[in-house]
Amino acid sequence: MTDCGSITGTVSLAHGDGGELTHRLISDLFLRYFRDEALQPLNDAALLPAQCGLLALTTDSFVVKPLFFPGGNIGTLAVNGTVNDLAVSGARPLYLTVGLILEEGLPLPVLEEVIAALAAAASEAGVAIVAGDTKVVERGHGDQIYINTTGLGLVAGNIDLGCHRVRPGDVIICSGAVGDHGLAVLAARENFGLEGLKSDCAALHTLILPLLENFPGAVKWLRDPTRGGLATTIKELALSAQVDIILSEEAIPVHDSVRGGAEILGLDYLYLANEGKFCAVVDRVAAEDVLAFLRRHPLSCEAALVGEIKEGSGRAFLRTALGATRELYLLSGQQLPRIC
Amino acid sequence: METWSTNHQKELTARLLVRVKSLAAAIAGKLGRRPVIMEVCGTHTVALARTGLRSLLAGCIDLRSGPGCPVCVTAPEEIDYMLCLARQPGVIIATFGDMVRVPGSSGSLEKARIEGCQIQVCYSPREAVTLARSNPDREVVFLGIGFETTAPAVGLAVKEAAALSLKNFSIYSAHKLVPPALATLAADPDLKLDGLLLPGHVSAILGRRAFTFLAREYNLPAAIAGFDALDILGALLELLLQIQKGEAQVNNAYPRVVSETGNHKAQEILREVFSLAPANWRGLGLIPLSGLKLNTAYEAFDASHRWRLELKPAPPPAGCLCGSVLKGLCLPPQCALFGRRCTPLRPVGPCMVSSEGSCAAYYRYAREAG
Ligand code: SF4
């Protein structure tokens, strides 16, 4: 019989051997939270109705430390990260698979909390978890929980996003303040005692799909600036579209807590990761309307026009508040907090 | 959101910039060259690059970076000693993250970790004490790198370890003191400095008075600066005014943080735990009384006492100009390896590793500067 109370104990190697304990983990824990029909038969593969249009498929692995941080946890991240990769490709996210690698000794209540968060994030995002896998590694051979999610989505026929559409004269819009996730996770991991930080972890398709519907053609390119932050994303765009991009430091939204915290630690917020923001290249003519549209949505009420595309050869620049121009590059190695 | 104060600040900064530039131009006219000002703090180096001040002032002030990054000034033989410690059986090295990738003559701590050595990155020295408590069968060695700003926290960790009578905790003290290094630079005939931008954080510990010898003994103008553009410009203006008048003083342009005599509590801890010792600086060489070693009372926590390792003096990496960069004799892009063989991902010298290092700051913010 399924135990409906909270689960106790720790993960052991037997939870991953495919035998009785694996079975109990699936029925007592996973199926309590993952309730999609396609998953219930527990077949070797999920059978999904064929769809017409372009399929978008993406996969990502999540190894964040600590597992829980202000504004989210590894479970919400594993859903939203993959959903956002689909959304910025113009796809409606439909299905997710979840692969778990658990470290022996992980308390089961911790696993339960992550699974519950994962299931809640998926249901909030309206995506179905349709397949999964669990492995257990020996203690010391993993870091509590690693999660891989693969997402499948559907792109409507009229959507054409990509750097091939980016032209000099277009503008860059950022959907909100940058650096929240990167600094919140770092601060939670290292216990820096910084206040007011919270990850922006969120699923963006409820914002992006209506945007694409309302401004067909005007939105030309989309990307979520995760690792490497806004600066790296913009530099990548400049390189792949072979244009120059100029960002304005004063126009880039950033919360005071992030600006201050990054300054104390000697980090550049332009290179900090985001998990609930996107950058868009938009036709200048539509920019004001796009901004007005975005600012009505709670996930993008701080949206701003942050830069413009120029003729060029793949360079990205920041015009600083003092009126100087400095070049932006791809993040080169991890940013380390300073010593002195 | 734009507020009155941010607008006001912006206006003030713009006005200061104009004044600094015109004053610098007037001085340059008189001297027949741009005034040479050295910033001796890695945070200033990064701030100058990040705000764009360095490029805005490029035509008017010859800004040089000095030995202001604690990782960068760590001598090659000290790095080798750390590597050797890491390879001792049973040892866990606890260190600040910046140190992990600094190359020594037999690899880096990162490489040692790949070989199987235990290297633990800490963000405070007290974490290392906790690490020692939870690993009673291992020896935890904390790498004490830093200036007057970090040393007090290391001192506290040592006191805590002593109070707990920990037998498996020690520190390797490679701490360095800023004023003796400044005296060496001020006395260097090759440098011809016109002024020094003094480090705000170190000054907060030592107080303004600790730097007055610069004006008194070396006739060198100096100003203590904070870290935003307004702070730095304010300090530069004070420096330039002195240079123009031919005066030498030590101005405190960061009075909201720096007092006349500094942070007594931190100084107290330093005195209690450490005593002065000669230290070997990368680029500057051996400077008497410019380092900190543990006092006799705390000798039991001194890693260099526990492991008396014989090491050959290590030559600096071939072609690396870190020494000259740290002395302000050349700028990072003037090093032939800069951005080519030496990048943050594959650093040749420490100046390219540390977040405060001059080469890393130039690489991150002004790669094409050379
Ligand atoms: S570029 Fe590299 S090799 Fe050259 S001085 Fe800087 S750190 Fe040393």
Side-chain angles (χ1 to χ4, degrees), chain B residues 319-322 325 332 335 337-338 342 348-352 359:
Chain B
C320 171
L321 293 189
C322 279
V325 169
C335 171
L337 307 186
F338 178 85
C342 181
V348 175
C351 296
M352 192 54 99
C359 296

Side-chain angles (χ1 to χ4, degrees), chain A residues 81-118:
Chain A
T82 294
V83 162
N84 291 346
D85 284 345
L86 292 172
V88 292
S89 313
R92 178 177 302 284
L94 299 173
Y95 302 112
L96 276 188
T97 70
V98 177
L100 295 169
I101 296 179
L102 310 177
E103 186 189 5
E104 181 188 18
L106 172 76
L108 282 166
V110 171
L111 177 62
E112 177 168 14
E113 209 175 329
V114 169
I115 294 300
L118 205 150

Side-chain angles (χ1 to χ4, degrees), chain B residues 199-249:
Chain B
H201 296 141
V202 172
S203 306
I205 305 288
L206 295 181
R208 187 198 72 93
R209 217 176 275 165
F211 295 96
T212 49
F213 72 94
L214 289 166
R216 210 175 44 239
E217 290 169 35
Y218 298 96
N219 203 28
L220 187 60
I224 298 167
F227 297 97
D228 65 24
L230 198 60
D231 285 330
I232 296 177
L233 281 171
L236 283 175
L237 184 67
E238 295 206 15
L239 266 180
L240 292 172
L241 285 171
Q242 289 190 51
I243 298 170
Q244 198 195 30
K245 287 191 224 147
E247 284 173 359
Q249 284 165 17

